[in-house]
């Protein structure tokens, strides 16, 4: 059985990696904008998904690295951040009392011990906040899945091919796609049968989502959301994935040349008008991928809505040359930085020579303090 402190340590590492990864991704996106690669939406989406997988598989790299070190390989390689800070301190990098520095270095171990054993009000606050977020997120997810199930089950079978089931609904005004254990479902409002252009745009868009694997990614991100409920970087990450998958899907559908840009934009505007009158059940139903959603917060704040950004990108669409080369050239540094960070934030293992020296300095400082207090007491007597 995995100890509780090990699980907590892995959870903290995952949260730190999401924060670092989102910061790196933001820097890469800024670089794309400066280089005129704003419209490389599919490449950016693949980068986000690949970095996510790197975070997921980082514990296995850590295990491989520690196994190599325990067997006598790569012992001279030490990228642990805590050990590097200790070595920098011992070399006179900055001035601080050794006892205070030791408390600072051991802060994470102290926090893990307090939370694992539920010691102190800080630990109880962290535990309460995590479980409240987990319970609220889980209840929301279960209720959302129930609402989605009701919408799909109340729709009518129309056509099917392979594992894809096309269904018609009188209860939803916005087309969307989702999946079950085996089949994919594309649910279309019944009134679209009398509107051939909107129907063709909707089918092309939703089927492209299925080709890109967007449904699976949405399920994974929604399932993990209750665990990372308190991490703002995770929510920002999910919003970036949601936005980029729509941009990428729009670009790919129009690149095929079967649908006119004007018809596509008209469909987005028409469906968006329907979303302004949608029912509460559809709003909370997840995990699903919709054709379009109304960005009410942007309207209130006076910002450009997501729909405006989509239409603007469609009207200014550009063909990206060598997308695979761009993807690999950006992915490799990002993966290397994520893996390096994952190894750097690990808890230090056995006592190193620097840590033994720090412990010695701390003991000498404490003895000096004891001697000072003893001398002061004799002088007073």
């Amino acid at each position: 059985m995995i100890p509780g402190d090990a699980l907590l340590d892995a959870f903290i590492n995952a949260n730190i990696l999401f924060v670092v990864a989102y910061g790196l991704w933001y820097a890469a996106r800024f670089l794309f904008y400066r280089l005129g690669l704003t419209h490389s939406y599919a490449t950016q989406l693949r980068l986000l998904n690949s970095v996510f997988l790197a975070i997921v598989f980082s514990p296995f790299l850590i295990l491989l690295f520690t196994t190599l070190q325990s067997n006598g390989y790569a012992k001279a390689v030490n990228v642990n951040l805590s050990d590097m800070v200790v070595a920098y301190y011992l070399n006179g990098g900055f001035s601080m009392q050794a006892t205070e520095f030791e408390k600072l270095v051991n802060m994470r171990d102290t926090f893990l011990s307090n939370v694992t054993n539920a010691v102190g009000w800080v630990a109880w606050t962290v535990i309460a906040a995590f479980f409240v977020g987990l319970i609220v997120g889980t209840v929301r997810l279960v209720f959302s899945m129930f609402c989605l199930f009701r919408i799909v089950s109340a729709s009518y079978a129309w056509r099917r091919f392979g594992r894809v089931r096309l269904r018609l609904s009188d209860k939803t005004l916005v087309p969307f796609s989702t999946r079950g254990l085996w089949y994919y479902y594309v649910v279309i409002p019944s009134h679209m049968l009398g509107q051939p252009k909107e129907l063709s745009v909707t089918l092309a868009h939703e089927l492209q989502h299925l080709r890109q694997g967007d449904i699976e990614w949405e399920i994974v991100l929604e399932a993990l959301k209750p665990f990372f409920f308190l991490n703002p970087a995770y929510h920002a990450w999910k919003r970036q994935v949601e936005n980029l998958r729509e941009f990428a899907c729009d670009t790919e559908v129009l690149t095929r040349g079967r649908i006119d840009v004007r018809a596509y934009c008209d469909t987005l505007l028409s469906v968006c008008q329907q979303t302004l009158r949608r029912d509460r059940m559809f709003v909370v139903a997840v995990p699903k991928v919709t054709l379009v959603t109304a960005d009410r917060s942007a309207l209130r704040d006076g910002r450009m809505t997501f729909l405006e950004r989509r239409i603007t990108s469609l009207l200014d669409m550009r063909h990206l040359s060598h997308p695979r080369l761009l993807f690999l050239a950006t992915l490799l540094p990002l993966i290397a930085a994520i893996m390096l960070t994952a190894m750097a934030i690990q808890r230090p293992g056995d006592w190193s020579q620097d840590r033994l020296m720090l412990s010695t300095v701390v003991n000498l400082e404490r003895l000096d303090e004891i001697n000072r207090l003893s001398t002061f007491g004799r002088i007073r007597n």
Side-chain angles (χ1 to χ4, degrees), residues 5-46:
D5 59 341
L7 286 175
L8 180 59
D9 184 59
F11 180 71
I12 292 175
N13 287 340
N15 278 275
I16 295 174
L17 285 178
F18 270 118
V19 174
V20 173
Y22 185 76
L24 292 172
W25 153 250
Y26 200 85
R29 189 182 69 167
F30 176 77
L31 183 62
F32 279 11
Y33 288 172
R34 294 301 298 264
L35 295 177
L37 301 173
T38 308
H39 296 80
S40 57
Y41 301 119
T43 301
Q44 295 178 47
L45 180 62
R46 290 177 62 193

Side-chain angles (χ1 to χ4, degrees), residues 101-119:
F101 178 73
E102 186 183 45
K103 289 180 182 179
L104 183 63
V105 171
N106 295 332
M107 185 181 296
R108 177 168 175 170
D109 291 336
T110 304
F111 175 78
L112 288 173
S113 177
N114 290 341
V115 173
T116 304
N117 299 309
V119 177

